[in-house]
Amino acid sequence: MAAVRRLEAQGVPSKQAEAITAAITEVLNDSLENVSQALVSKGEMQKVRPF
C-alpha cells in the first residue's frame, strides 16, 4: 500500500506503518459508512417531497 511505503520512507518501522495505515483505513471506512447512511437517495426524497 502506498501509505505504508510513504511512512516507511519517512523512517517509520514497517509494523508501525502497517498499523497506522490500518487504523486510518478503518476510521475512513467507518466515516464513509456513516455518511452513506445519512444520505437519502433522490427516489426516497421524492417520496417525502415530490417535485
Side-chain angles (χ1 to χ4, degrees):
M1 182 177 255
V4 172
R5 289 190 300 272
R6 288 180 88 182
L7 289 168
E8 290 171 338
Q10 295 298 314
V12 177
S14 293
K15 293 277 186 191
Q16 288 180 355
E18 291 170 10
I20 291 167
T21 302
I24 291 171
T25 300
E26 185 177 341
V27 168
L28 288 173
N29 286 337
D30 288 347
S31 295
L32 288 172
E33 186 176 329
N34 288 337
V35 168
S36 68
Q37 289 176 357
L39 295 176
V40 178
S41 72
K42 185 175 181 179
E44 291 171 333
M45 193 168 25
Q46 288 175 338
K47 288 179 191 175
V48 175
R49 182 177 153 183
F51 295 110

